[in-house]
Every structure is written in structure tokens, then in C-alpha cells.
Amino acid sequence: MKTFLFPAAAKHWAWLVLLPALALGLANMYWDYDLAFLSFKSTQLARLYDDGIFSGNMNFTDELAAIGMIVGLMLMGFSAERVEDEFTSTLRLKALSWAVWCHFIVLSLAILLVHSAAFYHALVYNMFTVLILFRLRFSYLIWKNNREAEA
Amino acid sequence: MKNQLRPLRQLANLTQQELAERVQVSRQTIVSIESGKYVPSTVLALKLADKLGCSVADLFVLESDDWK
């Protein structure tokens, strides 16, 4: 079974996308920082979407940050390893399964324990946990396997 | 599943790296198969058998646990 992966070099590009997007997202979330050129008036948006749900001015800084983080994390998680073979695919699948389990355990705990505005923040962070946990777990499995191979 | 990869590789006078290169996998994959932590796909098992000049049945042997 062939799984689509980005070239190995894409892993380096991932940081260039992820770090600015993370900085932008945090600045937007905690200091209300907006990029002026991403502001649109409701009339412009109404033309764009034609559904009348936009009642005021909208700024797309947080959307840009979120999509940047998703792109960065996807590049990081789904770039080929230097030697990509079936064993690496097995490790990737194990890591992905582990990350999905953790993601939904964390989400379930958040549903039970976190409420109101804090729950909104928990949901925002949890959008990225599956990709972050997957990449961390995959790197750990690769590292552990390399260490055992060297022993 | 037991495997005889290490003795058959040594019999063929190949290092783990050399065998890995011949079957186009990483050395870590060979290490994991030899240590019994990873069971390769049919394609890789056939490649390994081909490069070691033996059959897949010589390389891999089912154990009683595999039938449970």
C-alpha cells in the first residue's frame, strides 16, 4: 500500500511555515494582534460568501495562523524519512493510532472538566494536538529504534 | 514467529547494512526483523529469501502461538 508523503526536504520547510504561524496565532489569541491587510468589510464578505452571515468587519489573521499551523504540522508529520520503507510506515501507523487515542482522551477530559471560555481555548489547542502528538510519538519511535539498532 | 535471518545472513557473509541495501530497506528494519520485533511483508520476505538464496519457509517459521 502506497501512502502519499511529502519529500524528505519538506520537513525543513515545515519549520518555516509552522513557527511564524504559531507566533501569529499566539499573538492574535492573547494580544489581539491582527494583520491589517486581512481585514474585510461585511459588504465585501457578503459578495464573497453570499450567505449574509457576516454582520461586521472580519479579520482573517487567526484563520491564516490556523491554516499555517496545519500546513506546517502536516509537512512535518507526513514528510518521508531519509530511508522510507515498510517498517517506517508501520511506525508511522502506530504513532498515528496512538496520537488519535490521546487526542480523543484529552478531548473527552476537556468536555468533562473544562467549561465556558476555557473550553473554547481547549478546543482551539486540541485542533492541533493530534498532529503534534503524532509527530512527537513518531520521532520517539524512530529514535528508539535507531538507538536499539546501534546497541 | 521465529526467523532465521541472522544465521542465514551470516552464512551468506553479508552485514546488516549490505543486506538492507540489497533489499532496499534501512538497516534498522533488518535489525528489527532479526530481533523478532517486526514481521516483514510478503514482498520483503520474498526479497530477503531471494538475496539469501533460500526459501521464505527457511527464513520464517510459525510458532504455536501464531495459531491462537
Side-chain angles (χ1 to χ4, degrees), chain A residues 26-83:
Chain A
L26 291 174
N28 179 268
M29 200 158 179
Y30 293 104
W31 297 289
D32 292 327
Y33 174 77
D34 284 336
L35 294 168
F37 71 93
L38 289 175
S39 288
F40 294 90
K41 289 195 173 79
S42 59
T43 49
Q44 291 170 302
L45 288 170
R47 274 203 299 275
L48 190 64
Y49 290 97
D50 198 28
D51 59 6
I53 61 167
F54 298 101
S55 55
N57 288 350
M58 276 277 291
N59 186 280
F60 284 82
T61 302
D62 51 343
E63 282 83 353
L64 179 70
I67 288 172
M69 284 191 64
I70 289 169
V71 170
L73 288 168
M74 289 292 286
L75 285 172
M76 203 171 277
F78 295 97
S79 297
E81 291 302 302
R82 200 163 43 84
V83 179

Side-chain angles (χ1 to χ4, degrees), chain A residues 83-88 90 94 142 144-146 148-150, chain B residues 16 24-29 31-32 37-41 44:
Chain A
V83 179
E84 184 72 36
D85 60 15
E86 61 176 58
F87 183 58
T88 319
T90 306
K94 277 184 184 175
I142 295 269
K144 190 173 134 212
N145 192 65
N146 286 349
E148 284 166 3
E150 298 307 319
Chain B
Q16 291 172 331
Q24 296 160 312
V25 296
S26 65
R27 189 175 80 81
Q28 285 79 357
T29 303
V31 172
S32 297
K37 284 197 300 183
Y38 177 61
V39 178
S41 68
L44 181 53

Side-chain angles (χ1 to χ4, degrees), chain A residues 9-18 72 75:
Chain A
K11 214 179 295 175
H12 305 297
W13 289 99
W15 287 107
L16 293 178
V17 179
L18 181 63
L75 285 172

Side-chain angles (χ1 to χ4, degrees), chain B:
Chain B
M1 185 186 284
K2 278 195 304 192
N3 76 72
Q4 300 297 316
L5 184 58
R6 189 189 298 267
L8 287 171
R9 174 179 61 76
Q10 288 169 341
L11 200 66
N13 212 17
L14 289 171
T15 64
Q16 291 172 331
Q17 185 62 43
E18 286 166 343
L19 180 60
E21 283 167 12
R22 289 186 190 194
V23 296
Q24 296 160 312
V25 296
S26 65
R27 189 175 80 81
Q28 285 79 357
T29 303
I30 301 295
V31 172
S32 297
I33 297 170
E34 286 187 355
S35 62
K37 284 197 300 183
Y38 177 61
V39 178
S41 68
T42 313
V43 173
L44 181 53
L46 286 163
K47 283 182 182 176
L48 288 167
D50 182 67
K51 296 299 175 192
L52 294 174
C54 61
S55 71
V56 173
D58 294 331
L59 266 178
F60 299 97
V61 182
L62 285 174
E63 293 179 292
S64 53
D65 277 4
D66 294 316
W67 293 101
K68 288 177 187 169

